[in-house]
Amino acid sequence: MSMDYISAYKTSLADPEGFWLNAAQAIDWFEPPTRAFAPELGVYGRWFPDGVVNACHVMLDSHVAGGRGDRTALIYDSPVTGTKRTYSYAQLLTKVSRFAAVLSDLGVGKGDRVVIYMPMVPEALIGIYACNRLGAIHSVVFGGFAANELAKRIDDAAPKVILTASCGIEPTRKVAYKPLLDQAIAMSACPPDAVIVLQRPELKAEMIPGQDHDWAGLVEAAKGRGTPCARMKATDPLYILYTSGTTGTPKGVVRDTGGYLVALAWSMGALYGIKPGETFFCASDIGWVVGHSYIVYAPLIVGCTTILYEGKPVGTPDAGAFWRVAAEHKAAALFTAPTAIRAVKKEDPRGEKFATYDLSHFRALFLAGERADPATLEWAEGLLKTPVIDHCWQTETGWAIVANPLGLGALPVKHGSPTVPMPGYDVRVLDDAGHPVPAGTLGNIVIRLPLPPGCLPTLWNDEARFRKGYLEGFPGYYQTSDAGFIDEDGYVFFMARTDDIINVAGHRLSTGGMEEAIASHPDVAECAVVGVADAIKGQSPVGFVVLKSGVSRTEAEIEREIVALVRERVGPVAAFKMALTVARLPKTRSGKILRGTMQKIADGEDWTMPATIEDPAVLDEIGGALAGRK
Ligand code: COA
Ligand code: AMP
């Protein structure tokens, strides 16, 4: 194994103070921390307790002050609108500082929340950095969620202001964001004081007098104004990012400021092998954690160029889109989800599109968000002839738990494993009783506390849920809710979630949330949603429904309504396309629905009859219903 990795990892666990204080020197603090970790603070301790910093200062002001103002900070590349724009660090700073004045005029200050429901446009980043500047806490909500999901997040975050755009642009349709937001606000118990609307030429939004403000108008009126950076404690929240839990109520992952900046700065060099001034292409969405960390934050922290790509891996216009963007902007690396590569592979299996681009600057492809299947890894390696690096993390951790640190000298790849734990992550595998299991044995993947800098210190408004959901299952450890194993060489393998979360096209979704939507249909008695294998998306949801007796309409009619209901309540991102009526759901004698067994039957995998099943015949009925539909 690479000695650099081994020594970094060992030092991070043996001397976390030394390791992280050293890493913290990469950041331009207002007051550098004198201590790395304070075990007496927070739920399990807090990082850099006496550091004072501002994320916007680190990402923009300090580069401009350091003479790097002319360097390109942001490239906006939007095949769906036919637009390309670049912003230097100095230009971005001017825009952000002015927009911070706009927000401040609307009463936004330190600690206030600002919800951002926007597509992949530069204004979304400007809004985020302006929040950073003021010390306000942003919460970005992914555009593919429905009004109902947005309302839940608004209620929990209680934002003073919401930033939105008139529309998002999907390859086949325009998504009118503003009516969705209006519906969400109407449902919400915490309406904001103001909404700022970016009118896009592709589809204009109706404005509500007294609530809505025109983005361009406010910015024009604030010409020449600027706002200083607020002095924030390293432990102050930077953002809240909602993610799926096992119920329909999303979890508000809180990110602190100092620890996150330090961890991301460390990762850019050591993990991704990226040097200041290079271009990093992360093709996620700012609504997901990967987009937060590696589109919005990390590249600018270290003085790189970030690419904001408003398009898809395929269809905008073709399967060469990623390679076109990487070639044109001389990206050193691409970070995306395996599902995107599977989509590219399906459309361009022989890499004919790829062959038309000059990727001489390109050094590595990074994949995360779901398990990277060996076939996809092999295909990408064969095509790119560069390292293809799988790494694993969660919304909660904010950066990789397990990865192959390219910047420290890549370790040999084992397909199926994202490789080894990153510094600060003491990863273990325990059985259900909390005992360590031997190498190669499947168990619960946990991380010994404390979590390293950058990881969540708690959940917004709900410390009890944080403790219960993550810390109480295995005292002294953070529970990832992933099952897997560590092999004899210390490689970690993530195999499956241990809860009811499924991963659809790299998007984390709660089956519980979909079940809540289905159960609200007046003809449904009960239901269960499971994730079945999908060649492109990894998993796709299937809902099994039991109808109330005496329902007069046809099953097909009700199933269609259920599909529409999930789209309306959860959103198109759930990609819920199949509801299947069954007479009964398989349950244990204590009434627990046997979702795992149903999933295995749907996937055609071997399964064993659960000893506690109430009525084994129900499983045959499930198999029959699926066979009838295939
Ligand atoms: N706003 C509004 N709607 C959105 C949206 C957004 N930001 N993003 C997706 N949707 C909609 C899509 O239009 C689609 O709607 P439809 O049912 O009307 O077609 C639905 O949500 C599902 O979208 P998606 O999951 O993107 O499926 P797809 O079939 O359109 O595309 C992939 C498949 C694989 C190309 C696509 O899922 C993809 O690029 N995945 C990568 C995911 C990723 O980067 N995840 C981040 C983790 S690193
Ligand atoms: P999210 O919070 O959306 O990033 O989803 C986190 C979950 O996605 C993890 O708990 C894993 O179940 C899964 N996941 C993410 N990356 C990987 C990976 N590289 N390999 C296997 N599973 C992954």
Side-chain angles (χ1 to χ4, degrees):
M1 274 197 189
S2 152
M3 278 319 288
D4 280 345
Y5 162 72
I6 291 173
S7 67
Y9 186 65
K10 283 191 172 155
T11 311
S12 76
L13 296 189
D15 175 22
E17 282 291 310
F19 184 87
W20 290 114
L21 279 178
N22 186 37
Q25 289 178 19
I27 298 300
D28 186 10
W29 301 83
F30 293 145
E31 287 173 36
T34 60
R35 273 172 92 192
F37 189 64
E40 72 282 6
L41 298 180
V43 178
Y44 64 84
R46 300 300 303 268
W47 290 97
F48 309 117
D50 59 356
V52 179
V53 70
N54 181 292
C56 184
H57 171 85
V58 170
M59 290 188 288
L60 296 176
D61 302 61
S62 75
H63 295 302
V64 174
R68 297 180 289 280
D70 291 341
R71 192 180 276 179
T72 302
L74 169 64
I75 298 172
Y76 168 55
D77 188 312
S78 168
V80 293
T81 59
T83 317
K84 286 177 204 163
R85 244 183 274 154
T86 62
Y87 299 78
S88 69
Y89 272 87
Q91 286 167 335
L92 197 55
L93 173 57
T94 305
K95 287 187 184 295
V96 167
S97 185
R98 192 197 297 180
F99 196 68
V102 167
L103 288 178
S104 171
D105 288 348
L106 290 171
V108 175
K110 248 188 194 184
D112 289 331
R113 272 82 57 213
V114 174
V115 162
I116 301 179
Y117 184 60
M118 293 184 76
M120 294 282 283
V121 290
E123 286 79 1
L125 267 60
I126 291 170
I128 290 175
Y129 301 141
C131 289
N132 299 159
R133 208 165 177 81
L134 296 168
I137 303 165
H138 64 78
S139 187
V140 182
V141 180
F142 179 62
F145 282 121
N148 177 54
E149 289 294 317
L150 177 57
K152 290 180 191 171
R153 287 152 175 84
I154 294 174
D155 277 347
D156 196 58
K160 195 162 243 175
V161 169
I162 298 182
L163 308 183
T164 193
S166 53
C167 67
I169 297 149
E170 288 293 292
T172 52
R173 66 198 162 98
K174 291 173 194 147
V175 184
Y177 275 44
K178 181 61 175 28
L180 288 170
L181 176 62
D182 289 339
Q183 273 179 46
I185 292 176
M187 286 178 208
S188 164
C190 297
D193 294 349
V195 174
I196 306 183
V197 185
L198 177 76
Q199 292 282 14
R200 304 188 78 187
E202 291 78 11
L203 183 75
K204 296 273 180 185
E206 291 261 339
M207 301 293 269
I208 300 180
Q211 172 193 283
D212 297 342
H213 300 256
D214 175 52
W215 192 298
L218 292 181
V219 168
E220 181 60 28
K223 221 173 192 161
R225 293 179 56 202
T227 315
C229 287
R231 291 169 66 83
M232 305 304 293
K233 288 194 287 195
T235 52
D236 281 334
L238 183 66
Y239 65 74
I240 307 164
L241 180 55
Y242 289 91
T243 188
S244 302
T246 46
T247 68
T249 310
K251 301 181 192 177
V253 168
V254 174
R255 191 80 60 215
D256 69 358
T257 305
Y260 189 54
L261 297 173
V262 170
L264 292 185
W266 184 88
S267 73
M268 279 302 273
L271 197 169
Y272 298 98
I274 301 292
K275 292 185 276 299
E278 293 191 313
T279 300
F280 195 70
F281 177 20
C282 175
S284 178
D285 186 285
I286 55 163
W288 306 115
V289 67
V290 168
H292 275 66
S293 293
Y294 293 102
I295 298 172
V296 177
Y297 283 102
L300 298 200
I301 294 171
V302 298
C304 287
T305 301
T306 190
I307 295 178
L308 184 71
Y309 172 66
E310 190 182 25
K312 301 274 173 177
V314 292
T316 58
D318 56 36
F322 279 178
W323 319 128
R324 194 269 301 159
V325 173
E328 201 170 310
H329 307 302
K330 300 188 170 42
L334 166 65
F335 180 170
T336 187
T339 189
I341 300 297
R342 286 195 294 270
V344 171
K345 177 182 163 198
K346 181 165 176 256
E347 302 252 316
D348 185 23
R350 286 185 296 279
E352 283 154 8
K353 297 277 177 210
F354 171 83
T356 61
Y357 297 102
D358 171 9
L359 284 158
S360 46
H361 288 82
F362 191 79
R363 293 201 300 271
L365 170 65
F366 293 89
L367 300 175
E370 58 174 328
R371 190 156 192 274
D373 54 291
T376 302
L377 286 168
E378 274 162 30
W379 181 81
E381 284 166 345
L383 185 77
L384 291 163
K385 314 266 186 312
T386 66
V388 177
I389 296 198
D390 176 21
H391 57 327
C392 182
W393 41 307
Q394 303 183 318
T395 307
E396 288 84 347
T397 64
W399 65 291
I401 305 167
V402 171
N404 194 344
L406 192 60
L408 299 180
L411 275 48
V413 170
K414 292 192 191 185
H415 287 167
S417 167
T419 314
V420 287
M422 287 296 91
Y425 289 102
D426 188 353
V427 179
R428 312 281 178 97
V429 179
L430 305 179
D431 66 18
D432 288 344
H435 304 120
V437 299
T441 307
L442 196 68
N444 300 283
I445 299 181
V446 297
I447 303 163
R448 215 178 128 92
L449 293 171
L451 293 169
C455 297
L456 82 173
T458 187
L459 293 177
W460 184 254
N461 280 341
D462 208 347
E463 190 177 302
R465 191 176 183 192
F466 176 59
R467 288 181 190 276
K468 190 161 183 295
Y470 298 98
L471 306 183
E472 283 174 6
F474 298 96
Y477 298 91
Y478 165 89
Q479 185 177 354
T480 63
S481 294
D482 276 299
F485 61 92
I486 303 181
D487 75 4
E488 310 248 318
D489 300 324
Y491 281 55
V492 186
F493 290 73
F494 286 76
M495 303 310 288
R497 292 283 302 193
T498 56
D499 55 15
D500 293 329
I501 281 173
I502 59 171
N503 200 314
V504 180
H507 306 138
R508 169 169 159 180
L509 296 166
S510 158
T511 52
M514 290 184 235
E515 287 171 7
E516 275 177 30
I518 297 172
S520 72
H521 189 287
D523 295 334
V524 170
E526 59 177 346
C527 64
V529 173
V530 301
V532 305
D534 181 285
I536 298 291
K537 297 193 175 195
Q539 286 185 300
S540 73
V542 172
F544 294 88
V545 294
V546 178
L547 300 183
K548 287 180 182 159
S549 52
V551 169
S552 57
R553 289 172 316 128
T554 65
E555 289 178 359
E557 222 177 325
I558 297 171
E559 286 168 3
R560 270 197 303 277
E561 286 171 12
I562 288 170
V563 168
L565 189 62
V566 175
R567 190 176 170 94
E568 183 199 311
R569 291 285 176 89
V570 181
V573 67
F576 183 86
K577 302 262 158 69
M578 197 196 273
L580 270 180
T581 306
V582 290
R584 297 172 294 171
L585 293 174
K587 290 184 187 168
T588 62
R589 281 188 283 276
S590 62
K592 196 170 175 300
I593 297 173
L594 290 160
R595 290 184 180 76
T597 315
M598 290 164 82
Q599 179 184 338
K600 286 203 170 84
I601 294 173
D603 287 348
E605 282 177 28
D606 291 343
W607 55 278
T608 45
M609 184 64 73
T612 54
I613 194 164
E614 195 184 25
D615 180 358
V618 185
L619 289 174
D620 293 334
E621 293 168 19
I622 295 287
L626 278 161
R629 207 50 83 81
K630 273 181 181 161

